[in-house]
Amino acid sequence: MITTIIPEIQDALASLSLPEKAAFFPRFFKTGKGEYGEGDLFLGVTVPDQRVIAKEYYSRVSLDELSDLLSSKYHEHRLTALLMLILKFEKTKDHSVKDKIIEFYLSHLKHINNWDLVDTSCYKILGRYAFENQREELLRKLSCSENMWHKRIAIVGTMYYIKKGSFDITKELVTYNLNHSHDLMHKANGWMLREIGQKNKEELIMYLNEYYQEMPRTCLRYAIEKLDENLRQDYLKGRI
């Protein structure tokens, strides 16, 4: 049953709807038949506006209420719910509350079903929790899922590890799904490798030297994007 604050949040989002964004977003997020976002609906609210709403309401909304919002057919409802969940997770110092938020996040994965929903939330919630509690098995389990979004949550979740200078779990999960069939995984894997390189170029080079010849081309291009041009060309042309 929808509780009292949810219609208020929905109305606040609806008031920020932009018709041109409502027309553009379905194409941008690939909602056509057979595409990865098939059937998703959009109000046309920008992310900065959603962040404003999230900051206004996160402290007053319960997890039960967030469940209603995260289950919505509208993309912006789901993203705003995740933005509020991030704020709840970041603001609390109560470990039992963090445990409940992680349980909530993992039990609602079916609604975290597009790349922006994944990328916005996973490392700030699940990745941080796994790092701070040495719970890498949470990421490994998702990495082994048949669901592509679960796999992307796992690998992008390791961003928190990278920011802390820890690279092993990222390299492990990239390798496990290195030849996944979907381009969105190639991009995510390459992105995380590039982030490793931003923190420690030698770590990236060592990984590339072992695996670059078997990487999908998109993954390789993302991974080497920040390297100097001569070295980039050496990898692209197989001269290493």
Side-chain angles (χ1 to χ4, degrees):
M1 180 178 178
I2 294 180
T3 50
T4 55
I5 202 170
I6 296 303
E8 186 178 336
I9 295 171
Q10 291 171 334
D11 287 346
L13 288 168
S15 72
L16 297 168
S17 175
L18 300 171
E20 65 273 19
K21 295 296 184 182
F24 170 72
F25 286 154
R27 298 192 301 273
F28 183 72
F29 288 103
K30 307 295 185 185
T31 63
K33 186 171 178 57
E35 294 182 309
Y36 58 75
E38 180 177 353
D40 208 354
L41 299 178
F42 290 83
L43 297 169
V45 184
T46 66
V47 174
D49 282 343
Q50 290 178 69
R51 291 188 186 280
V52 170
I53 298 300
K55 287 178 182 178
E56 180 178 350
Y57 286 99
Y58 84 91
S59 63
R60 292 186 279 151
V61 70
S62 69
L63 289 182
D64 284 343
E65 290 170 321
L66 280 183
S67 182
D68 288 331
L69 198 61
L70 191 52
S71 304
S72 172
K73 61 185 179 180
Y74 286 101
H75 191 99
E76 291 93 339
H77 290 171
R78 303 200 304 281
L79 181 54
T80 302
L82 290 169
L83 292 172
M84 288 191 281
L85 194 67
I86 291 166
L87 288 168
K88 283 183 172 294
F89 187 82
E90 291 177 340
K91 299 297 184 182
T92 186
K93 291 181 170 54
D94 188 328
H95 291 293
S96 66
V97 172
K98 289 190 174 185
D99 290 342
K100 289 177 182 177
I101 290 173
I102 292 301
E103 182 180 346
F104 177 92
Y105 189 84
L106 291 173
S107 68
H108 288 77
L109 290 180
K110 68 179 181 180
H111 304 299
I112 306 171
N113 58 354
N114 212 313
W115 58 265
D116 63 321
L117 304 176
V118 168
D119 298 354
T120 297
S121 65
C122 65
Y123 79 91
K124 291 183 177 180
I125 297 177
L126 188 60
R128 178 176 178 176
Y129 182 86
F131 178 86
E132 292 179 344
N133 295 277
Q134 295 81 53
R135 294 287 306 277
E136 289 79 18
E137 76 276 4
L138 295 173
L139 301 176
R140 290 189 178 103
K141 182 177 180 180
L142 292 177
S143 187
C144 294
S145 169
E146 293 300 313
N147 184 294
M148 189 267 291
W149 298 121
H150 294 180
K151 289 179 180 291
R152 186 166 171 120
I153 286 169
I155 187 57
V156 179
T158 70
M159 173 81 85
Y160 196 85
Y161 286 75
I162 297 170
K163 288 180 178 294
K164 296 297 184 179
S166 179
F167 312 124
D168 287 348
I169 187 65
T170 304
K171 292 187 290 185
E172 175 189 333
L173 300 190
V174 167
T175 304
Y176 183 78
N177 284 301
L178 190 62
N179 291 299
H180 189 274
S181 60
H182 205 291
D183 188 63
L184 284 174
M185 282 302 296
H186 303 168
K187 291 176 179 178
N189 286 337
W191 172 25
M192 291 304 105
L193 291 174
R194 185 180 69 214
E195 292 297 319
I196 288 176
Q198 292 288 90
K199 293 286 287 187
N200 188 317
K201 182 178 176 181
E202 290 71 26
E203 284 279 347
L204 173 60
I205 295 299
M206 285 190 294
Y207 187 88
L208 288 173
N209 288 351
E210 183 172 357
Y211 290 104
Y212 86 96
Q213 290 184 318
E214 61 187 271
M215 283 181 185
R217 201 69 167 174
T218 297
C219 178
L220 178 60
R221 287 186 179 278
Y222 270 61
I224 66 176
E225 183 179 5
K226 299 296 185 179
L227 299 179
D228 68 74
E229 185 60 23
N230 288 336
L231 186 53
R232 285 185 66 256
Q233 291 302 319
D234 285 341
Y235 281 117
L236 290 170
K237 295 177 181 177
R239 297 193 296 237
I240 300 295

